[in-house]
Amino acid sequence: MIEALVIENLALERGGRLLFSGLSLELPAGRAAALVGRNGAGKTSLLRAIAGLVPLAEGAVRFGSLDAVDARAEHIHLAGHQDGQKPARTAWEELAFWARWSGASETAAREAAARLELTRLLDLEVRRLSAGQRRRLSLARLLAAPRALWLLDEPLSPLDADWRARFGEIMGEHLAGGGMIVAAVHDPLPIPALTVEIGETAP
Amino acid sequence: MSRAMALLSREAALAWGRGGGPMVSLAFYAGVATLLPLATGPEPARLAAIAPGAAWVALALAALLSLDRLFERDYEDGALDLLTLSSVPLEIACAIKCLGQWLATAAPLAFAAPVAAIALGAKPHLAPLIFACALMGGLAFAFVGGIGAALSLGARRGGLLTAVIVLPLFVPPVIFGGGALDSFAGGLPWKAGFALLAAYAAAAVALGPIAMAAACRNALS
């Protein structure tokens, strides 16, 4: 379990351009942070930097007492627009694979699909799903394999009002269970969250 | 282990879908076996002499055809991001991807290669060695090709870049395997050539994934 996500004096660069610098954040277990900022401010880059995909120009990211490599291998979920789901494969094949790759059983994947009301869609090819259904399919992986830290890139954007509320409940349960959420958003999250402005500190 | 098996079956299925499978390789060799006599002239003696070599070249080209999709799609659709967030090291994931590619594309080609060579007039007793060379060569092509595919990630016209990077690395296995087949057909010692081919494949399997994972990390960052 990760006790806290700690970001210290972080600076990120993309393509030689400084996105932001001096970002510090301490997120204890059970709390959520909403990253807000204009397009291109570096919200997605920050999520990818926490996931270890983007090198840090300056500063540090710590996962409580856990080693960063272990934390990224077993304790982080990353979910965004690029969901890695292949259009020609069926929804079940994709969910089952990504759930297993995250260490979950097939039973857990089926339960997650039922929770997100995907069961009757599982035989369809991913290309036949609507944008909202496809997003729910990629979020089902988060329910199937419990991991402490969810990094979500615009998680609610393709969802309808009903599903936004229901995913809000799911996020609330995740926090109540000691989890953490860092989400890049343009609309407010339906859960209490610490707002972090990205890009304000850039010169 | 179950994660690795899940990835292997997914990769084999994806490779099958993007140009693998028995029908595609059969069609490929049918094309070679049909066009080659038309291009070189139909004298049986000449055809028989070049048949094993033609099967080799066809194998290398078929391997090249399916390579540019090996990492490119996963890179574009975010699958590569998610593959890194696992207790399975990216090096192992890259090796599994190449293995899936080999199972779905090179293995069917290896079964078809002796048939095509014999149809062109090669001696039937060459068939087992052609099969073994194609299987081993396919392994080398998949793992060496994976390096090229990973290095050209994110580049415009990545397929062309992959071919340029990979072709020089395809030369040694073609020489070793072709040499072994030539020697065997001529009644000369052939084991050295085959052993060199196997050694090249082993080196590609051992070192290729390290280079691929480094290239993928670089492309993602």
Side-chain angles (χ1 to χ4, degrees):
Chain A
M1 212 59 191
I2 304 177
E3 303 98 31
L5 169 69
V6 181
I7 297 174
E8 282 170 6
N9 194 29
L10 182 71
L12 285 186
E13 282 177 7
R14 297 298 281 154
R17 189 173 65 93
L18 186 71
L19 288 173
F20 57 80
S21 61
L23 179 81
S24 293
L25 169 69
E26 186 163 349
L27 193 68
R31 296 291 303 276
L35 309 179
V36 297
R38 58 190 162 70
N39 294 137
K43 302 188 291 294
T44 301
S45 295
L46 174 56
L47 292 178
R48 291 171 61 82
I50 296 172
L53 295 167
V54 172
L56 315 180
E58 198 181 284
V61 175
R62 274 190 262 283
F63 304 91
S65 55
L66 273 181
D67 176 57
V69 174
D70 293 341
R72 284 163 180 153
E74 291 294 344
H75 299 278
I76 289 183
H77 272 307
L78 176 67
H81 305 289
Q82 293 180 303
D83 53 20
Q85 300 178 126
K86 300 285 185 276
R89 305 245 297 165
T90 67
W92 170 245
E93 284 173 330
E94 286 302 281
L95 171 58
F97 168 72
W98 287 116
R100 278 180 79 183
W101 187 251
S102 311
S105 67
E106 289 206 349
T107 321
R110 293 235 177 244
E111 282 165 9
R115 173 92 203 259
L116 293 174
E117 286 178 20
L118 294 161
T119 306
R120 66 187 178 80
L121 303 173
L122 289 179
D123 292 333
L124 292 178
E125 289 174 355
V126 170
R127 76 169 105 231
R128 310 231 175 263
L129 302 182
S130 75
Q133 290 168 339
R134 187 172 168 155
R135 175 57 55 91
R136 268 150 58 201
L137 184 67
S138 73
L139 292 173
R141 171 171 57 90
L142 277 56
L143 298 184
R147 291 185 169 193
L149 177 56
W150 290 2
L151 304 174
L152 308 175
D153 196 0
E154 301 264 1
L156 303 175
S157 54
L159 300 181
D160 62 29
D162 179 37
W163 274 108
R164 285 184 183 206
R166 291 166 77 171
F167 192 65
E169 286 169 26
I170 289 172
M171 289 194 284
E173 288 168 24
H174 178 62
L175 297 180
M180 281 168 275
I181 295 174
V182 179
V185 289
H186 287 296
D187 303 317
L189 280 176
I191 48 170
L194 179 74
T195 301
V196 181
E197 297 254 355
I198 301 295
E200 288 283 299
T201 50
Chain B
M1 205 56 217
S2 103
R3 295 185 195 199
M5 285 310 297
L7 181 61
L8 183 63
S9 66
R10 172 189 167 86
E11 286 302 324
L14 288 172
W16 199 275
R18 69 178 172 234
M23 295 318 286
V24 178
S25 58
L26 282 182
F28 197 85
Y29 274 116
V32 171
T34 311
L35 292 177
L36 194 72
L38 297 174
T40 62
E43 295 88 16
R46 186 197 289 174
L47 276 180
I50 59 172
W56 252 114
V57 171
L59 180 73
L61 292 180
L64 204 53
L65 271 182
S66 49
L67 267 182
D68 59 328
R69 295 284 177 76
L70 182 58
F71 288 104
E72 190 69 34
R73 273 196 196 165
D74 283 352
Y75 173 69
E76 282 168 359
D77 70 13
L80 212 48
D81 294 346
L82 301 180
L83 287 178
T84 62
L85 294 176
S86 172
S87 54
V88 179
L90 189 57
E91 285 79 3
I92 302 290
C94 288
I96 293 171
K97 283 180 76 69
C98 291
L99 214 55
Q101 170 88 355
W102 178 70
L103 279 178
T105 60
L109 282 167
F111 280 102
V115 180
I118 290 168
L120 287 172
K123 298 271 188 326
H125 72 275
L126 276 174
L129 188 59
I130 294 178
F131 174 72
C133 280
L135 216 50
M136 198 59 83
L139 197 61
F141 292 149
F143 276 80
V144 157
I147 302 174
L151 278 174
S152 59
L153 273 183
R156 269 180 301 161
R157 315 199 58 175
L160 181 65
L161 188 57
T162 305
V164 171
I165 295 172
V166 157
L167 268 180
L169 297 169
F170 274 19
V171 168
V174 170
I175 293 175
F176 299 147
L181 284 171
D182 254 1
S183 311
F184 187 76
L188 300 167
W190 54 274
K191 283 182 184 151
F194 186 74
L196 281 171
L197 175 63
Y200 189 87
V205 171
L207 301 175
I210 300 170
M212 283 177 237
C216 285
R217 286 201 185 94
N218 185 42
L220 288 175
S221 67

